[in-house]
mmCIF file of all heavy atoms in Angstrom:
data_model
loop_
_atom_site.group_PDB
_atom_site.id
_atom_site.type_symbol
_atom_site.label_atom_id
_atom_site.label_comp_id
_atom_site.label_asym_id
_atom_site.label_seq_id
_atom_site.Cartn_x
_atom_site.Cartn_y
_atom_site.Cartn_z
ATOM 1 N N ASP A 56 12.525 8.033 1.784
ATOM 2 C CA ASP A 56 13.894 8.456 1.523
ATOM 3 C C ASP A 56 14.606 8.769 2.823
ATOM 4 O O ASP A 56 13.987 9.332 3.751
ATOM 5 C CB ASP A 56 13.910 9.720 0.618
ATOM 6 C CG ASP A 56 13.460 9.411 -0.777
ATOM 7 O OD1 ASP A 56 13.815 8.327 -1.298
ATOM 8 O OD2 ASP A 56 12.773 10.248 -1.391
ATOM 9 N N LYS A 57 15.866 8.436 2.880
ATOM 10 C CA LYS A 57 16.631 8.664 4.098
ATOM 11 C C LYS A 57 16.772 10.141 4.455
ATOM 12 O O LYS A 57 17.031 10.479 5.607
ATOM 13 C CB LYS A 57 18.038 8.066 3.969
ATOM 14 C CG LYS A 57 18.016 6.584 4.035
ATOM 15 C CD LYS A 57 19.381 5.967 3.966
ATOM 16 C CE LYS A 57 19.342 4.459 3.962
ATOM 17 N NZ LYS A 57 20.643 3.843 3.786
ATOM 18 N N ASP A 58 16.563 11.026 3.472
ATOM 19 C CA ASP A 58 16.701 12.461 3.754
ATOM 20 C C ASP A 58 15.353 13.125 4.112
ATOM 21 O O ASP A 58 15.275 14.315 4.283
ATOM 22 C CB ASP A 58 17.352 13.217 2.613
ATOM 23 C CG ASP A 58 16.570 13.164 1.342
ATOM 24 O OD1 ASP A 58 15.517 12.448 1.266
ATOM 25 O OD2 ASP A 58 16.951 13.833 0.354
ATOM 26 N N SER A 59 14.282 12.341 4.282
ATOM 27 C CA SER A 59 13.017 12.914 4.664
ATOM 28 C C SER A 59 13.010 13.253 6.144
ATOM 29 O O SER A 59 13.772 12.680 6.944
ATOM 30 C CB SER A 59 11.862 11.953 4.339
ATOM 31 O OG SER A 59 11.932 10.777 5.109
ATOM 32 N N LYS A 61 10.955 12.638 8.516
ATOM 33 C CA LYS A 61 10.580 11.543 9.434
ATOM 34 C C LYS A 61 11.762 10.675 9.818
ATOM 35 O O LYS A 61 11.718 9.988 10.811
ATOM 36 C CB LYS A 61 9.431 10.732 8.849
ATOM 37 C CG LYS A 61 9.808 9.848 7.713
ATOM 38 C CD LYS A 61 8.687 9.061 7.134
ATOM 39 C CE LYS A 61 7.899 9.699 6.057
ATOM 40 N NZ LYS A 61 8.515 10.481 5.060
ATOM 41 N N MET A 62 12.828 10.715 9.035
ATOM 42 C CA MET A 62 13.986 9.855 9.257
ATOM 43 C C MET A 62 14.919 10.394 10.345
ATOM 44 O O MET A 62 15.738 9.662 10.858
ATOM 45 C CB MET A 62 14.767 9.659 7.979
ATOM 46 C CG MET A 62 14.052 8.776 6.962
ATOM 47 S SD MET A 62 13.702 7.152 7.625
ATOM 48 C CE MET A 62 15.353 6.556 7.968
ATOM 49 N N GLU A 63 14.765 11.644 10.688
ATOM 50 C CA GLU A 63 15.702 12.314 11.625
ATOM 51 C C GLU A 63 15.944 11.507 12.905
ATOM 52 O O GLU A 63 17.104 11.284 13.272
ATOM 53 C CB GLU A 63 15.216 13.728 11.951
ATOM 54 C CG GLU A 63 16.067 14.474 12.931
ATOM 55 C CD GLU A 63 15.342 14.716 14.224
ATOM 56 O OE1 GLU A 63 14.321 15.420 14.188
ATOM 57 O OE2 GLU A 63 15.810 14.227 15.259
ATOM 58 N N PRO A 64 14.908 10.990 13.590
ATOM 59 C CA PRO A 64 15.195 10.218 14.815
ATOM 60 C C PRO A 64 15.653 8.783 14.580
ATOM 61 O O PRO A 64 16.001 8.090 15.506
ATOM 62 C CB PRO A 64 13.873 10.268 15.570
ATOM 63 C CG PRO A 64 12.848 10.320 14.464
ATOM 64 C CD PRO A 64 13.474 11.163 13.402
ATOM 65 N N LEU A 65 15.591 8.289 13.326
ATOM 66 C CA LEU A 65 15.857 6.911 13.026
ATOM 67 C C LEU A 65 17.237 6.636 12.466
ATOM 68 O O LEU A 65 17.661 5.473 12.392
ATOM 69 C CB LEU A 65 14.798 6.369 12.042
ATOM 70 C CG LEU A 65 13.348 6.513 12.514
ATOM 71 C CD1 LEU A 65 12.390 6.135 11.380
ATOM 72 C CD2 LEU A 65 13.093 5.679 13.744
ATOM 73 N N LEU A 66 17.922 7.674 12.036
ATOM 74 C CA LEU A 66 19.222 7.474 11.398
ATOM 75 C C LEU A 66 20.288 6.928 12.305
ATOM 76 O O LEU A 66 21.286 6.396 11.855
ATOM 77 C CB LEU A 66 19.688 8.814 10.735
ATOM 78 C CG LEU A 66 18.841 9.241 9.531
ATOM 79 C CD1 LEU A 66 19.275 10.597 9.081
ATOM 80 C CD2 LEU A 66 18.911 8.216 8.403
ATOM 81 N N ASN A 67 20.062 7.020 13.611
ATOM 82 C CA ASN A 67 21.047 6.469 14.574
ATOM 83 C C ASN A 67 20.872 4.964 14.803
ATOM 84 O O ASN A 67 21.586 4.353 15.562
ATOM 85 C CB ASN A 67 20.967 7.226 15.911
ATOM 86 C CG ASN A 67 19.617 7.058 16.612
ATOM 87 O OD1 ASN A 67 18.766 6.292 16.152
ATOM 88 N ND2 ASN A 67 19.422 7.786 17.676
ATOM 89 N N GLY A 68 19.871 4.367 14.107
ATOM 90 C CA GLY A 68 19.632 2.942 14.201
ATOM 91 C C GLY A 68 18.727 2.534 15.335
ATOM 92 O O GLY A 68 18.409 1.344 15.487
ATOM 93 N N LEU A 69 18.278 3.499 16.123
ATOM 94 C CA LEU A 69 17.370 3.188 17.237
ATOM 95 C C LEU A 69 15.929 3.415 16.835
ATOM 96 O O LEU A 69 15.637 4.255 15.977
ATOM 97 C CB LEU A 69 17.727 4.054 18.444
ATOM 98 C CG LEU A 69 19.115 3.889 19.023
ATOM 99 C CD1 LEU A 69 19.368 4.909 20.138
ATOM 100 C CD2 LEU A 69 19.297 2.463 19.548
ATOM 101 N N MET A 95 14.141 1.888 11.173
ATOM 102 C CA MET A 95 14.618 1.663 9.809
ATOM 103 C C MET A 95 15.181 0.245 9.744
ATOM 104 O O MET A 95 15.955 -0.154 10.588
ATOM 105 C CB MET A 95 15.736 2.655 9.469
ATOM 106 C CG MET A 95 16.310 2.491 8.076
ATOM 107 S SD MET A 95 17.485 3.786 7.588
ATOM 108 C CE MET A 95 18.732 3.628 8.877
ATOM 109 N N GLU A 97 17.520 -2.588 8.537
ATOM 110 C CA GLU A 97 18.877 -2.631 7.988
ATOM 111 C C GLU A 97 19.317 -4.034 7.589
ATOM 112 O O GLU A 97 20.333 -4.200 6.898
ATOM 113 C CB GLU A 97 19.862 -2.014 8.995
ATOM 114 C CG GLU A 97 19.503 -0.557 9.280
ATOM 115 C CD GLU A 97 20.489 0.121 10.161
ATOM 116 O OE1 GLU A 97 21.546 0.545 9.640
ATOM 117 O OE2 GLU A 97 20.230 0.251 11.378
ATOM 118 N N CYS A 125 14.837 3.777 1.862
ATOM 119 C CA CYS A 125 14.932 2.804 2.936
ATOM 120 C C CYS A 125 13.522 2.360 3.298
ATOM 121 O O CYS A 125 12.554 2.941 2.887
ATOM 122 C CB CYS A 125 15.658 3.409 4.163
ATOM 123 S SG CYS A 125 14.756 4.764 4.933
#
Side-chain angles (χ1 to χ4, degrees):
D56 290 323
K57 287 182 183 176
D58 63 354
S59 65
K61 73 181 88 38
M62 289 302 299
E63 178 247 298
L65 303 172
L66 292 174
N67 63 7
L69 299 175
M95 179 174 58
E97 298 186 81
C125 64

